[in-house]
Amino acid sequence: MTTNRLEQLPYDIARSLLDIGAVALRPNEPFTWTSGLKSPIYCDNRLTMSHPEVRDLIAEGFAAIIRERYPDAEVIAGTATAGIPHAAWVAAKLNLPMIYIRDKAKGHGKQNQIEGKLAAGQKVVVIEDLISTGGSSLKAALAVQEAGGEVAAVLAIFTYQFAAAAEAFVAEGIPLATLSGYSALIKTAHELGTVSDEEVKILQSWREDPQSFGK
């Protein structure tokens, strides 16, 4: 991908996620997450698996970022479970080995947390589907480090752009890059007429103070 194409990519990804229903916006009838948090957005990037053109756009976007910023990457890692298929498609495009990372070690057999071959010192790019607080993604990245790998970066399809998540990655010294994010999504949805001017304000207020939203 060219530089201009990469700059346009966040909006193309946002539009694709909206088109296939992977992202739903309900500023006036918020969703309730498992954590109890009220949210005007629900994101299910697993739906991208069922849309070849969208999943290829995502895979090529990841591959382009890796070629440009992390050309020394030696292994592509997918987070279980949503990151696994995307990691496989990216690894195929780059002709690199792939591994995947469980949220915790298996309770039987070799009790592996990382499946596949990872040699000490290998540079790894971790593929994730969604960044919320960043906790689970960082846990996966730290598992790679504990196994002897060197994490070049965590890449994700989409981020809610919470400040706390960005700060957590900085604190761990692990680079984070995403194909699209909340700002691009709101802008795209507004241009498409999916949300009104007033709803844009509601959506923006959620990211600024998610804990107080809907109260």
mmCIF file of all heavy atoms in Angstrom, residues 15-61:
data_model
loop_
_atom_site.group_PDB
_atom_site.id
_atom_site.type_symbol
_atom_site.label_atom_id
_atom_site.label_comp_id
_atom_site.label_asym_id
_atom_site.label_seq_id
_atom_site.Cartn_x
_atom_site.Cartn_y
_atom_site.Cartn_z
ATOM 1 N N ARG A 15 -15.683 2.153 7.312
ATOM 2 C CA ARG A 15 -16.855 1.990 6.450
ATOM 3 C C ARG A 15 -17.183 0.510 6.250
ATOM 4 O O ARG A 15 -18.358 0.121 6.268
ATOM 5 C CB ARG A 15 -16.615 2.661 5.096
ATOM 6 C CG ARG A 15 -17.808 2.494 4.159
ATOM 7 C CD ARG A 15 -17.814 3.491 3.045
ATOM 8 N NE ARG A 15 -19.074 3.423 2.306
ATOM 9 C CZ ARG A 15 -19.556 4.395 1.569
ATOM 10 N NH1 ARG A 15 -18.907 5.549 1.476
ATOM 11 N NH2 ARG A 15 -20.692 4.259 0.921
ATOM 12 N N SER A 16 -16.166 -0.310 6.071
ATOM 13 C CA SER A 16 -16.386 -1.745 5.882
ATOM 14 C C SER A 16 -17.032 -2.367 7.110
ATOM 15 O O SER A 16 -17.956 -3.179 6.999
ATOM 16 C CB SER A 16 -15.055 -2.447 5.581
ATOM 17 O OG SER A 16 -14.529 -2.029 4.337
ATOM 18 N N LEU A 17 -16.563 -1.981 8.294
ATOM 19 C CA LEU A 17 -17.122 -2.523 9.533
ATOM 20 C C LEU A 17 -18.584 -2.108 9.694
ATOM 21 O O LEU A 17 -19.416 -2.902 10.147
ATOM 22 C CB LEU A 17 -16.304 -2.053 10.739
ATOM 23 C CG LEU A 17 -14.847 -2.532 10.807
ATOM 24 C CD1 LEU A 17 -14.159 -1.967 12.047
ATOM 25 C CD2 LEU A 17 -14.762 -4.056 10.802
ATOM 26 N N LEU A 18 -18.888 -0.872 9.305
ATOM 27 C CA LEU A 18 -20.282 -0.408 9.354
ATOM 28 C C LEU A 18 -21.137 -1.147 8.327
ATOM 29 O O LEU A 18 -22.259 -1.573 8.620
ATOM 30 C CB LEU A 18 -20.351 1.102 9.099
ATOM 31 C CG LEU A 18 -19.854 2.002 10.230
ATOM 32 C CD1 LEU A 18 -19.615 3.419 9.722
ATOM 33 C CD2 LEU A 18 -20.862 2.025 11.377
ATOM 34 N N ASP A 19 -20.599 -1.319 7.118
ATOM 35 C CA ASP A 19 -21.350 -1.951 6.034
ATOM 36 C C ASP A 19 -21.763 -3.381 6.372
ATOM 37 O O ASP A 19 -22.869 -3.815 6.025
ATOM 38 C CB ASP A 19 -20.524 -1.958 4.737
ATOM 39 C CG ASP A 19 -20.456 -0.594 4.076
ATOM 40 O OD1 ASP A 19 -21.244 0.298 4.458
ATOM 41 O OD2 ASP A 19 -19.612 -0.410 3.167
ATOM 42 N N ILE A 20 -20.877 -4.137 7.025
ATOM 43 C CA ILE A 20 -21.173 -5.555 7.298
ATOM 44 C C ILE A 20 -21.826 -5.751 8.665
ATOM 45 O O ILE A 20 -22.139 -6.876 9.052
ATOM 46 C CB ILE A 20 -19.915 -6.436 7.185
ATOM 47 C CG1 ILE A 20 -18.903 -6.093 8.283
ATOM 48 C CG2 ILE A 20 -19.292 -6.307 5.798
ATOM 49 C CD1 ILE A 20 -17.713 -7.048 8.339
ATOM 50 N N GLY A 21 -22.020 -4.659 9.397
ATOM 51 C CA GLY A 21 -22.659 -4.769 10.710
ATOM 52 C C GLY A 21 -21.736 -5.230 11.816
ATOM 53 O O GLY A 21 -22.198 -5.616 12.898
ATOM 54 N N ALA A 22 -20.429 -5.174 11.583
ATOM 55 C CA ALA A 22 -19.480 -5.550 12.628
ATOM 56 C C ALA A 22 -19.465 -4.504 13.740
ATOM 57 O O ALA A 22 -19.131 -4.803 14.886
ATOM 58 C CB ALA A 22 -18.077 -5.715 12.042
ATOM 59 N N VAL A 23 -19.824 -3.277 13.377
ATOM 60 C CA VAL A 23 -19.948 -2.200 14.352
ATOM 61 C C VAL A 23 -21.375 -1.675 14.311
ATOM 62 O O VAL A 23 -21.923 -1.428 13.239
ATOM 63 C CB VAL A 23 -18.969 -1.051 14.049
ATOM 64 C CG1 VAL A 23 -19.291 0.161 14.907
ATOM 65 C CG2 VAL A 23 -17.534 -1.485 14.303
ATOM 66 N N ALA A 24 -21.962 -1.535 15.479
ATOM 67 C CA ALA A 24 -23.302 -0.958 15.600
ATOM 68 C C ALA A 24 -23.213 0.250 16.526
ATOM 69 O O ALA A 24 -22.544 0.194 17.564
ATOM 70 C CB ALA A 24 -24.282 -1.980 16.157
ATOM 71 N N LEU A 25 -23.885 1.345 16.145
ATOM 72 C CA LEU A 25 -23.897 2.567 16.943
ATOM 73 C C LEU A 25 -25.312 2.852 17.430
ATOM 74 O O LEU A 25 -26.243 2.925 16.628
ATOM 75 C CB LEU A 25 -23.391 3.749 16.112
ATOM 76 C CG LEU A 25 -21.922 3.691 15.674
ATOM 77 C CD1 LEU A 25 -21.619 4.802 14.683
ATOM 78 C CD2 LEU A 25 -20.996 3.778 16.873
ATOM 79 N N ARG A 26 -25.459 2.994 18.756
ATOM 80 C CA ARG A 26 -26.762 3.325 19.343
ATOM 81 C C ARG A 26 -26.555 4.381 20.418
ATOM 82 O O ARG A 26 -26.604 4.085 21.616
ATOM 83 C CB ARG A 26 -27.409 2.073 19.940
ATOM 84 C CG ARG A 26 -27.906 1.099 18.910
ATOM 85 C CD ARG A 26 -28.906 0.084 19.438
ATOM 86 N NE ARG A 26 -28.819 -0.261 20.826
ATOM 87 C CZ ARG A 26 -29.106 -1.478 21.324
ATOM 88 N NH1 ARG A 26 -29.473 -2.452 20.490
ATOM 89 N NH2 ARG A 26 -29.020 -1.711 22.608
ATOM 90 N N PRO A 27 -26.300 5.626 20.013
ATOM 91 C CA PRO A 27 -26.021 6.667 21.011
ATOM 92 C C PRO A 27 -27.175 6.940 21.964
ATOM 93 O O PRO A 27 -26.947 7.357 23.104
ATOM 94 C CB PRO A 27 -25.694 7.900 20.159
ATOM 95 C CG PRO A 27 -26.185 7.592 18.788
ATOM 96 C CD PRO A 27 -26.148 6.118 18.630
ATOM 97 N N ASN A 28 -28.397 6.714 21.511
ATOM 98 C CA ASN A 28 -29.548 6.999 22.367
ATOM 99 C C ASN A 28 -30.112 5.760 23.069
ATOM 100 O O ASN A 28 -30.968 5.884 23.950
ATOM 101 C CB ASN A 28 -30.644 7.667 21.541
ATOM 102 C CG ASN A 28 -30.216 9.028 21.019
ATOM 103 O OD1 ASN A 28 -29.785 9.876 21.792
ATOM 104 N ND2 ASN A 28 -30.298 9.230 19.705
ATOM 105 N N GLU A 29 -29.655 4.583 22.676
ATOM 106 C CA GLU A 29 -30.055 3.338 23.329
ATOM 107 C C GLU A 29 -28.810 2.500 23.553
ATOM 108 O O GLU A 29 -28.573 1.522 22.855
ATOM 109 C CB GLU A 29 -31.050 2.558 22.466
ATOM 110 C CG GLU A 29 -32.355 3.272 22.209
ATOM 111 C CD GLU A 29 -33.275 2.435 21.320
ATOM 112 O OE1 GLU A 29 -33.572 1.293 21.696
ATOM 113 O OE2 GLU A 29 -33.654 2.926 20.242
ATOM 114 N N PRO A 30 -27.971 2.901 24.504
ATOM 115 C CA PRO A 30 -26.663 2.265 24.666
ATOM 116 C C PRO A 30 -26.735 0.780 25.004
ATOM 117 O O PRO A 30 -27.689 0.300 25.606
ATOM 118 C CB PRO A 30 -26.015 3.061 25.804
ATOM 119 C CG PRO A 30 -27.146 3.712 26.521
ATOM 120 C CD PRO A 30 -28.189 3.971 25.490
ATOM 121 N N PHE A 31 -25.692 0.095 24.570
ATOM 122 C CA PHE A 31 -25.508 -1.314 24.906
ATOM 123 C C PHE A 31 -24.959 -1.395 26.334
ATOM 124 O O PHE A 31 -24.412 -0.425 26.861
ATOM 125 C CB PHE A 31 -24.493 -1.961 23.960
ATOM 126 C CG PHE A 31 -24.885 -1.920 22.513
ATOM 127 C CD1 PHE A 31 -24.449 -0.880 21.697
ATOM 128 C CD2 PHE A 31 -25.673 -2.920 21.959
ATOM 129 C CE1 PHE A 31 -24.794 -0.831 20.348
ATOM 130 C CE2 PHE A 31 -26.027 -2.883 20.619
ATOM 131 C CZ PHE A 31 -25.595 -1.832 19.812
ATOM 132 N N THR A 32 -25.083 -2.576 26.938
ATOM 133 C CA THR A 32 -24.447 -2.827 28.232
ATOM 134 C C THR A 32 -23.410 -3.916 28.042
ATOM 135 O O THR A 32 -23.739 -5.044 27.665
ATOM 136 C CB THR A 32 -25.471 -3.264 29.293
ATOM 137 O OG1 THR A 32 -26.473 -2.247 29.435
ATOM 138 C CG2 THR A 32 -24.787 -3.484 30.633
ATOM 139 N N TRP A 33 -22.160 -3.585 28.267
ATOM 140 C CA TRP A 33 -21.087 -4.561 28.136
ATOM 141 C C TRP A 33 -21.103 -5.529 29.314
ATOM 142 O O TRP A 33 -21.765 -5.305 30.327
ATOM 143 C CB TRP A 33 -19.737 -3.850 28.092
ATOM 144 C CG TRP A 33 -19.475 -3.125 26.814
ATOM 145 C CD1 TRP A 33 -20.272 -3.079 25.703
ATOM 146 C CD2 TRP A 33 -18.335 -2.320 26.503
ATOM 147 N NE1 TRP A 33 -19.705 -2.302 24.724
ATOM 148 C CE2 TRP A 33 -18.507 -1.830 25.186
ATOM 149 C CE3 TRP A 33 -17.180 -1.966 27.198
ATOM 150 C CZ2 TRP A 33 -17.566 -1.006 24.572
ATOM 151 C CZ3 TRP A 33 -16.238 -1.145 26.586
ATOM 152 C CH2 TRP A 33 -16.429 -0.675 25.285
ATOM 153 N N THR A 34 -20.353 -6.607 29.183
ATOM 154 C CA THR A 34 -20.266 -7.606 30.247
ATOM 155 C C THR A 34 -19.809 -6.970 31.557
ATOM 156 O O THR A 34 -20.242 -7.375 32.643
ATOM 157 C CB THR A 34 -19.277 -8.721 29.848
ATOM 158 O OG1 THR A 34 -19.704 -9.277 28.600
ATOM 159 C CG2 THR A 34 -19.235 -9.817 30.899
ATOM 160 N N SER A 35 -18.947 -5.973 31.446
ATOM 161 C CA SER A 35 -18.421 -5.292 32.636
ATOM 162 C C SER A 35 -19.468 -4.430 33.321
ATOM 163 O O SER A 35 -19.247 -3.949 34.434
ATOM 164 C CB SER A 35 -17.240 -4.401 32.233
ATOM 165 O OG SER A 35 -17.674 -3.383 31.339
ATOM 166 N N GLY A 36 -20.624 -4.223 32.659
ATOM 167 C CA GLY A 36 -21.653 -3.349 33.189
ATOM 168 C C GLY A 36 -21.585 -1.941 32.625
ATOM 169 O O GLY A 36 -22.485 -1.125 32.837
ATOM 170 N N LEU A 37 -20.520 -1.655 31.873
ATOM 171 C CA LEU A 37 -20.343 -0.336 31.270
ATOM 172 C C LEU A 37 -21.387 -0.088 30.191
ATOM 173 O O LEU A 37 -21.655 -0.952 29.365
ATOM 174 C CB LEU A 37 -18.936 -0.241 30.655
ATOM 175 C CG LEU A 37 -18.515 1.136 30.113
ATOM 176 C CD1 LEU A 37 -18.228 2.088 31.272
ATOM 177 C CD2 LEU A 37 -17.279 0.993 29.231
ATOM 178 N N LYS A 38 -21.983 1.099 30.211
ATOM 179 C CA LYS A 38 -22.913 1.506 29.168
ATOM 180 C C LYS A 38 -22.110 2.053 27.988
ATOM 181 O O LYS A 38 -21.192 2.849 28.173
ATOM 182 C CB LYS A 38 -23.862 2.580 29.682
ATOM 183 C CG LYS A 38 -24.790 2.127 30.799
ATOM 184 C CD LYS A 38 -25.836 1.152 30.309
ATOM 185 C CE LYS A 38 -26.819 0.797 31.423
ATOM 186 N NZ LYS A 38 -27.838 -0.186 30.969
ATOM 187 N N SER A 39 -22.469 1.616 26.800
ATOM 188 C CA SER A 39 -21.704 2.016 25.624
ATOM 189 C C SER A 39 -22.612 2.268 24.429
ATOM 190 O O SER A 39 -23.537 1.501 24.173
ATOM 191 C CB SER A 39 -20.694 0.915 25.269
ATOM 192 O OG SER A 39 -20.129 1.154 23.998
ATOM 193 N N PRO A 40 -22.326 3.317 23.640
ATOM 194 C CA PRO A 40 -23.121 3.585 22.437
ATOM 195 C C PRO A 40 -22.640 2.799 21.235
ATOM 196 O O PRO A 40 -23.170 2.943 20.141
ATOM 197 C CB PRO A 40 -22.891 5.081 22.223
ATOM 198 C CG PRO A 40 -21.486 5.292 22.688
ATOM 199 C CD PRO A 40 -21.332 4.376 23.872
ATOM 200 N N ILE A 41 -21.608 1.966 21.442
ATOM 201 C CA ILE A 41 -21.034 1.194 20.337
ATOM 202 C C ILE A 41 -20.876 -0.266 20.730
ATOM 203 O O ILE A 41 -20.551 -0.586 21.871
ATOM 204 C CB ILE A 41 -19.665 1.779 19.908
ATOM 205 C CG1 ILE A 41 -19.059 0.978 18.746
ATOM 206 C CG2 ILE A 41 -18.712 1.857 21.083
ATOM 207 C CD1 ILE A 41 -17.796 1.595 18.170
ATOM 208 N N TYR A 42 -21.124 -1.130 19.755
ATOM 209 C CA TYR A 42 -20.841 -2.554 19.945
ATOM 210 C C TYR A 42 -20.034 -3.010 18.732
ATOM 211 O O TYR A 42 -20.419 -2.750 17.585
ATOM 212 C CB TYR A 42 -22.117 -3.380 20.052
ATOM 213 C CG TYR A 42 -21.839 -4.841 20.344
ATOM 214 C CD1 TYR A 42 -21.517 -5.255 21.637
ATOM 215 C CD2 TYR A 42 -21.854 -5.800 19.334
ATOM 216 C CE1 TYR A 42 -21.237 -6.584 21.921
ATOM 217 C CE2 TYR A 42 -21.574 -7.129 19.600
ATOM 218 C CZ TYR A 42 -21.270 -7.513 20.895
ATOM 219 O OH TYR A 42 -20.981 -8.827 21.167
ATOM 220 N N CYS A 43 -18.910 -3.642 18.998
ATOM 221 C CA CYS A 43 -18.005 -4.046 17.922
ATOM 222 C C CYS A 43 -17.781 -5.549 17.963
ATOM 223 O O CYS A 43 -17.361 -6.090 18.985
ATOM 224 C CB CYS A 43 -16.671 -3.311 18.075
ATOM 225 S SG CYS A 43 -15.497 -3.630 16.740
ATOM 226 N N ASP A 44 -18.080 -6.224 16.872
ATOM 227 C CA ASP A 44 -17.859 -7.669 16.748
ATOM 228 C C ASP A 44 -17.090 -7.942 15.459
ATOM 229 O O ASP A 44 -17.677 -8.222 14.412
ATOM 230 C CB ASP A 44 -19.191 -8.423 16.744
ATOM 231 C CG ASP A 44 -18.989 -9.936 16.664
ATOM 232 O OD1 ASP A 44 -17.822 -10.390 16.721
ATOM 233 O OD2 ASP A 44 -19.985 -10.664 16.519
ATOM 234 N N ASN A 45 -15.765 -7.839 15.546
ATOM 235 C CA ASN A 45 -14.934 -8.008 14.359
ATOM 236 C C ASN A 45 -14.860 -9.443 13.863
ATOM 237 O O ASN A 45 -14.300 -9.701 12.797
ATOM 238 C CB ASN A 45 -13.523 -7.475 14.637
ATOM 239 C CG ASN A 45 -13.479 -5.967 14.702
ATOM 240 O OD1 ASN A 45 -14.278 -5.293 14.050
ATOM 241 N ND2 ASN A 45 -12.589 -5.417 15.492
ATOM 242 N N ARG A 46 -15.439 -10.373 14.605
ATOM 243 C CA ARG A 46 -15.471 -11.762 14.117
ATOM 244 C C ARG A 46 -16.273 -11.871 12.819
ATOM 245 O O ARG A 46 -16.053 -12.780 12.023
ATOM 246 C CB ARG A 46 -16.044 -12.690 15.190
ATOM 247 C CG ARG A 46 -15.137 -12.868 16.397
ATOM 248 C CD ARG A 46 -15.833 -13.665 17.497
ATOM 249 N NE ARG A 46 -14.963 -13.909 18.630
ATOM 250 C CZ ARG A 46 -14.703 -13.034 19.605
ATOM 251 N NH1 ARG A 46 -15.265 -11.841 19.558
ATOM 252 N NH2 ARG A 46 -13.908 -13.338 20.600
ATOM 253 N N LEU A 47 -17.197 -10.951 12.629
ATOM 254 C CA LEU A 47 -17.999 -10.963 11.400
ATOM 255 C C LEU A 47 -17.149 -10.753 10.157
ATOM 256 O O LEU A 47 -17.547 -11.134 9.052
ATOM 257 C CB LEU A 47 -19.090 -9.899 11.470
ATOM 258 C CG LEU A 47 -20.259 -10.173 12.426
ATOM 259 C CD1 LEU A 47 -21.189 -8.975 12.478
ATOM 260 C CD2 LEU A 47 -21.017 -11.414 11.993
ATOM 261 N N THR A 48 -15.980 -10.144 10.313
ATOM 262 C CA THR A 48 -15.125 -9.900 9.147
ATOM 263 C C THR A 48 -14.662 -11.202 8.498
ATOM 264 O O THR A 48 -14.365 -11.218 7.302
ATOM 265 C CB THR A 48 -13.888 -9.066 9.537
ATOM 266 O OG1 THR A 48 -13.108 -9.777 10.514
ATOM 267 C CG2 THR A 48 -14.300 -7.720 10.103
ATOM 268 N N MET A 49 -14.617 -12.282 9.269
ATOM 269 C CA MET A 49 -14.185 -13.574 8.713
ATOM 270 C C MET A 49 -15.086 -14.029 7.572
ATOM 271 O O MET A 49 -14.639 -14.721 6.651
ATOM 272 C CB MET A 49 -14.179 -14.659 9.808
ATOM 273 C CG MET A 49 -13.179 -14.446 10.909
ATOM 274 S SD MET A 49 -13.115 -15.856 12.042
ATOM 275 C CE MET A 49 -14.765 -15.836 12.748
ATOM 276 N N SER A 50 -16.348 -13.644 7.635
ATOM 277 C CA SER A 50 -17.336 -14.113 6.666
ATOM 278 C C SER A 50 -17.429 -13.237 5.424
ATOM 279 O O SER A 50 -18.261 -13.494 4.555
ATOM 280 C CB SER A 50 -18.718 -14.174 7.339
ATOM 281 O OG SER A 50 -18.692 -15.040 8.455
ATOM 282 N N HIS A 51 -16.572 -12.224 5.349
ATOM 283 C CA HIS A 51 -16.600 -11.296 4.214
ATOM 284 C C HIS A 51 -15.201 -11.225 3.597
ATOM 285 O O HIS A 51 -14.344 -10.472 4.078
ATOM 286 C CB HIS A 51 -17.064 -9.916 4.675
ATOM 287 C CG HIS A 51 -18.459 -9.912 5.210
ATOM 288 N ND1 HIS A 51 -19.557 -9.660 4.416
ATOM 289 C CD2 HIS A 51 -18.932 -10.168 6.458
ATOM 290 C CE1 HIS A 51 -20.659 -9.734 5.165
ATOM 291 N NE2 HIS A 51 -20.299 -10.043 6.398
ATOM 292 N N PRO A 52 -14.957 -12.010 2.546
ATOM 293 C CA PRO A 52 -13.613 -12.111 1.954
ATOM 294 C C PRO A 52 -12.967 -10.780 1.598
ATOM 295 O O PRO A 52 -11.773 -10.587 1.850
ATOM 296 C CB PRO A 52 -13.842 -12.970 0.706
ATOM 297 C CG PRO A 52 -15.036 -13.809 1.044
ATOM 298 C CD PRO A 52 -15.915 -12.921 1.870
ATOM 299 N N GLU A 53 -13.727 -9.849 1.008
ATOM 300 C CA GLU A 53 -13.126 -8.571 0.615
ATOM 301 C C GLU A 53 -12.690 -7.765 1.830
ATOM 302 O O GLU A 53 -11.638 -7.114 1.818
ATOM 303 C CB GLU A 53 -14.113 -7.759 -0.224
ATOM 304 C CG GLU A 53 -14.365 -8.340 -1.611
ATOM 305 C CD GLU A 53 -15.266 -7.448 -2.437
ATOM 306 O OE1 GLU A 53 -15.605 -6.335 -1.981
ATOM 307 O OE2 GLU A 53 -15.638 -7.865 -3.553
ATOM 308 N N VAL A 54 -13.486 -7.817 2.903
ATOM 309 C CA VAL A 54 -13.160 -7.061 4.108
ATOM 310 C C VAL A 54 -11.970 -7.686 4.818
ATOM 311 O O VAL A 54 -11.036 -6.990 5.232
ATOM 312 C CB VAL A 54 -14.371 -6.987 5.056
ATOM 313 C CG1 VAL A 54 -13.999 -6.265 6.355
ATOM 314 C CG2 VAL A 54 -15.535 -6.284 4.383
ATOM 315 N N ARG A 55 -11.975 -9.003 4.961
ATOM 316 C CA ARG A 55 -10.867 -9.640 5.658
ATOM 317 C C ARG A 55 -9.563 -9.476 4.885
ATOM 318 O O ARG A 55 -8.486 -9.374 5.488
ATOM 319 C CB ARG A 55 -11.170 -11.108 5.940
ATOM 320 C CG ARG A 55 -11.085 -12.028 4.745
ATOM 321 C CD ARG A 55 -11.593 -13.418 5.067
ATOM 322 N NE ARG A 55 -11.311 -14.344 3.984
ATOM 323 C CZ ARG A 55 -12.044 -15.421 3.712
ATOM 324 N NH1 ARG A 55 -13.109 -15.700 4.450
ATOM 325 N NH2 ARG A 55 -11.710 -16.220 2.730
ATOM 326 N N ASP A 56 -9.641 -9.413 3.546
ATOM 327 C CA ASP A 56 -8.424 -9.212 2.768
ATOM 328 C C ASP A 56 -7.927 -7.780 2.898
ATOM 329 O O ASP A 56 -6.717 -7.537 2.936
ATOM 330 C CB ASP A 56 -8.654 -9.556 1.303
ATOM 331 C CG ASP A 56 -7.340 -9.637 0.526
ATOM 332 O OD1 ASP A 56 -6.524 -10.527 0.850
ATOM 333 O OD2 ASP A 56 -7.122 -8.804 -0.364
ATOM 334 N N LEU A 57 -8.837 -6.821 2.977
ATOM 335 C CA LEU A 57 -8.467 -5.430 3.212
ATOM 336 C C LEU A 57 -7.736 -5.302 4.547
ATOM 337 O O LEU A 57 -6.717 -4.609 4.656
ATOM 338 C CB LEU A 57 -9.716 -4.545 3.211
ATOM 339 C CG LEU A 57 -9.507 -3.053 3.518
ATOM 340 C CD1 LEU A 57 -8.687 -2.388 2.414
ATOM 341 C CD2 LEU A 57 -10.856 -2.361 3.673
ATOM 342 N N ILE A 58 -8.245 -5.995 5.556
ATOM 343 C CA ILE A 58 -7.630 -5.986 6.882
ATOM 344 C C ILE A 58 -6.246 -6.635 6.831
ATOM 345 O O ILE A 58 -5.264 -6.073 7.340
ATOM 346 C CB ILE A 58 -8.538 -6.721 7.892
ATOM 347 C CG1 ILE A 58 -9.781 -5.876 8.174
ATOM 348 C CG2 ILE A 58 -7.780 -7.029 9.189
ATOM 349 C CD1 ILE A 58 -10.877 -6.607 8.916
ATOM 350 N N ALA A 59 -6.155 -7.798 6.215
ATOM 351 C CA ALA A 59 -4.881 -8.515 6.150
ATOM 352 C C ALA A 59 -3.828 -7.717 5.393
ATOM 353 O O ALA A 59 -2.668 -7.636 5.812
ATOM 354 C CB ALA A 59 -5.073 -9.877 5.501
ATOM 355 N N GLU A 60 -4.227 -7.096 4.290
ATOM 356 C CA GLU A 60 -3.276 -6.306 3.512
ATOM 357 C C GLU A 60 -2.866 -5.052 4.282
ATOM 358 O O GLU A 60 -1.711 -4.615 4.195
ATOM 359 C CB GLU A 60 -3.871 -5.933 2.154
ATOM 360 C CG GLU A 60 -2.865 -5.296 1.205
ATOM 361 C CD GLU A 60 -1.588 -6.085 1.037
ATOM 362 O OE1 GLU A 60 -1.645 -7.316 0.805
ATOM 363 O OE2 GLU A 60 -0.504 -5.472 1.151
ATOM 364 N N GLY A 61 -3.803 -4.486 5.055
ATOM 365 C CA GLY A 61 -3.465 -3.335 5.891
ATOM 366 C C GLY A 61 -2.430 -3.690 6.942
ATOM 367 O O GLY A 61 -1.442 -2.970 7.144
#
